Amino acid sequence: MFHALEVFTVVIVGLMVGVEFSVAFVMNRIFDALPEDSDQLARAHGGRMLGALMPFWYIGSLVLSAIWAVAGWDRPGAGRVVIAAALLIVSVIMSLLLLVPINNQGKTWTPENRPADWKEQMNRWDRYHYARVAVIVAAFAFLVTALV
C-alpha cells in the first residue's frame, strides 16, 4: 500500500509539472503568436479554466506528499520527501501571493475592459510562473529520487 502511495504521488505531481511546464513554454508562446485580441482572450479563458482546477491539484499534491512523508518517516528517502513537500508549500504560497491576484484580474478581461498595461501584467505573471515551475520541478525531482 505504501508503494502505491509513492507511485500515485509521483504521477500526480509529475502530471502537474507537465501541465505547468506546457503552460509556460508551449501554450503561452502559442497564445503570443495569435492575431489581434486572441492572445488576451486565450489567456483569460485559460485563467478561468486552469484557475478552477489547479488549486485542487496543488493542494492535493501537497497533501499526498505530506502523507508520504509522515507514513514513510522511518524509510530511506524520507528527507527528500520532506524537502519536496516544503517546495510544494513554497509553490502554493507563490501562487496565492503572486500569481492568483494577477490571474483573478486577467480572467475577467475582454478586449473592451482590459487595462492599458495588460501585457505587462501578463509578462509579470509569466515571470512568476517560470519561478513556480522551477520550484515544482525541483519538488518532483526530490520525490522521484526518494523512490530509489
Side-chain angles (χ1 to χ4, degrees):
M1 186 67 166
F2 183 75
H3 185 64
L5 170 66
E6 293 172 313
V7 171
F8 186 69
T9 303
V10 167
V11 169
I12 294 299
V13 174
L15 289 170
M16 180 179 73
V17 167
V19 168
E20 294 291 36
F21 187 90
S22 176
V23 166
F25 299 105
V26 178
M27 299 309 298
N28 284 347
R29 285 190 166 75
I30 291 171
F31 295 165
D32 290 343
L34 293 172
E36 299 175 17
D37 295 324
S38 299
D39 174 21
Q40 187 265 308
L41 293 169
R43 283 179 173 263
H45 181 66
R48 287 188 299 275
M49 190 179 88
L50 291 173
L53 171 66
M54 297 315 286
F56 298 103
W57 212 336
Y58 273 83
I59 298 300
S61 295
L62 173 57
V63 168
L64 286 168
S65 298
I67 292 169
W68 178 358
V70 170
W73 187 251
D74 59 341
R75 296 175 184 248
R80 286 175 283 210
V81 178
V82 170
I83 293 169
L87 288 168
L88 290 172
I89 290 170
V90 169
S91 75
V92 169
I93 292 169
M94 290 175 71
S95 297
L96 292 173
L97 295 180
L98 303 173
L99 290 116
V100 169
I102 298 170
N103 189 64
N104 283 345
Q105 292 176 13
K107 70 184 183 183
T108 66
W109 294 339
T110 66
E112 294 78 31
N113 74 359
R114 67 185 180 209
D117 69 339
W118 76 271
K119 282 193 179 195
E120 290 81 14
Q121 291 188 51
M122 290 297 97
N123 288 336
R124 186 170 0 111
W125 187 93
D126 288 344
R127 287 190 304 275
Y128 293 150
H129 184 64
Y130 295 142
R132 179 175 62 181
V133 168
V135 169
I136 64 174
V137 165
F140 178 66
F142 276 104
L143 289 174
V144 169
T145 60
L147 289 172
V148 205

